[in-house]
Amino acid sequence: AARAVVRCGAVRCMRGAARAGAFVTRAAAAVRGRGRGGRARARRSSGAMARDDAPSVLVPMAHGSEEMEVVIIADVLRRAGARVTIASVEDDGLVCSCSRGVKIVADASLAEASASTYDCVVLPGGMPGAKRLADDARVMAIVEAQLQSERGITAAMCASPGVILAPRGWLNGVASTAHPAFVKDLPSDASAQGRVVVDGRVITSRGPGTAIEFALALVEALFGKDKAMEVAGPMVLPPREKAALVANEWTLES
């Protein structure tokens, strides 16, 4: 039987014992933080190198996180040149078994990654991954500090707006959306039908099917509109259906 391992920006496929000739690509990031007051500095061992002064992004990950969201968020942001660190919150190592059984190898443990501050903190969804992130006091401290910072961006999608942000009052007075199953947990559903919703420095989205748009909204927030358009072009995205937008809904075209 085939066994697939996604390794933070790369894929390693092994079919049974026949490993010879298998395609193996590894892209590991080593976090070189300069303390809580500094900005995270991450480098990957292969692929495009991010500039040391590029925006930094933290993506916490747990067992049960949504694998499509984790990978798409990291991939799109790295295409833009961001320094992305996927950090495992688990005590049993860097490999997380995601919501559909896909195993993803983190760049670092959260203990290592939390030594730095970030321009953007992104919470993927998936269950029970979102609950495991919500139950981790370290993740909550990072998110709270990010929300209180003057410039940092806080982003969450799928289950995470309802499971992580809303119960702590962090979405009160903020336009937001979430996966349809978790809209009931938002303080307001006024913008819940939006695929990606931006309100100041808080960005939320709905699920795996909106992950690329969500990631491009993050690219725009960190790099500007031109970079988002540049990254989106080669990805050959389908044209967006013309429909009325809800309050604070983001689109690449608008």
Side-chain angles (χ1 to χ4, degrees):
R3 179 165 64 92
V5 178
V6 178
R7 189 178 182 92
C8 301
V11 177
R12 181 174 63 187
C13 294
M14 299 180 293
R15 293 186 176 276
R19 299 183 182 181
F23 175 73
V24 179
T25 301
R26 295 185 179 181
V31 177
R32 298 188 301 130
R34 298 185 301 184
R36 288 298 299 179
R39 294 176 61 183
R41 307 179 74 180
R43 288 188 175 181
R44 297 182 296 284
S45 61
S46 63
M49 296 293 290
R51 293 166 52 98
D52 283 345
D53 61 350
S56 56
V57 181
L58 176 66
V59 184
M61 176 178 64
H63 292 319
S65 289
E66 216 313 316
E67 44 268 80
M68 287 179 63
E69 295 169 9
V70 172
V71 172
I72 290 171
I73 290 165
D75 179 282
V76 173
L77 284 164
R78 283 177 175 167
R79 288 171 189 249
R83 294 175 291 126
V84 181
T85 300
I86 300 178
S88 170
V89 305
E90 304 297 346
D91 295 329
D92 56 358
L94 298 182
V95 179
C96 288
S97 181
C98 293
S99 61
R100 301 303 183 273
V102 175
K103 291 178 171 58
I104 299 180
V105 185
D107 297 307
S109 69
L110 187 66
E112 295 169 321
S114 62
S116 301
T117 56
Y118 296 84
D119 297 301
C120 180
V121 175
V122 190
L123 303 170
M127 289 295 282
K131 181 66 164 57
R132 293 181 72 83
L133 295 181
D135 290 342
D136 192 301
R138 301 166 301 173
V139 175
M140 295 304 94
I142 290 170
V143 174
E144 184 172 21
Q146 190 76 359
L147 287 164
Q148 293 175 351
S149 69
E150 295 181 357
R151 298 179 59 186
I153 296 168
T154 303
M157 71 178 307
C158 194
S160 287
V163 173
I164 299 175
L165 301 183
R168 291 162 179 79
W170 292 338
L171 290 180
N172 290 348
V174 178
S176 61
T177 188
H179 189 277
F182 295 91
V183 167
K184 65 183 186 304
D185 300 310
L186 301 179
S188 169
D189 63 359
S191 296
Q193 298 304 311
R195 293 176 63 82
V196 179
V197 174
V198 178
D199 193 346
R201 294 182 295 105
V202 176
I203 302 175
T204 53
S205 188
R206 308 214 74 185
T210 66
I212 292 179
E213 296 160 72
F214 176 63
L216 287 170
L218 298 178
V219 171
E220 181 178 307
L222 292 168
F223 293 92
K225 187 74 168 183
D226 289 346
K227 176 60 72 172
M229 297 293 288
E230 174 189 324
V231 171
M235 296 172 70
V236 197
L237 300 176
R240 180 183 171 89
E241 294 182 4
K242 295 186 181 300
L245 302 180
V246 302
N248 293 84
E249 185 171 4
W250 177 93
T251 68
L252 184 62
E253 298 80 14
S254 63

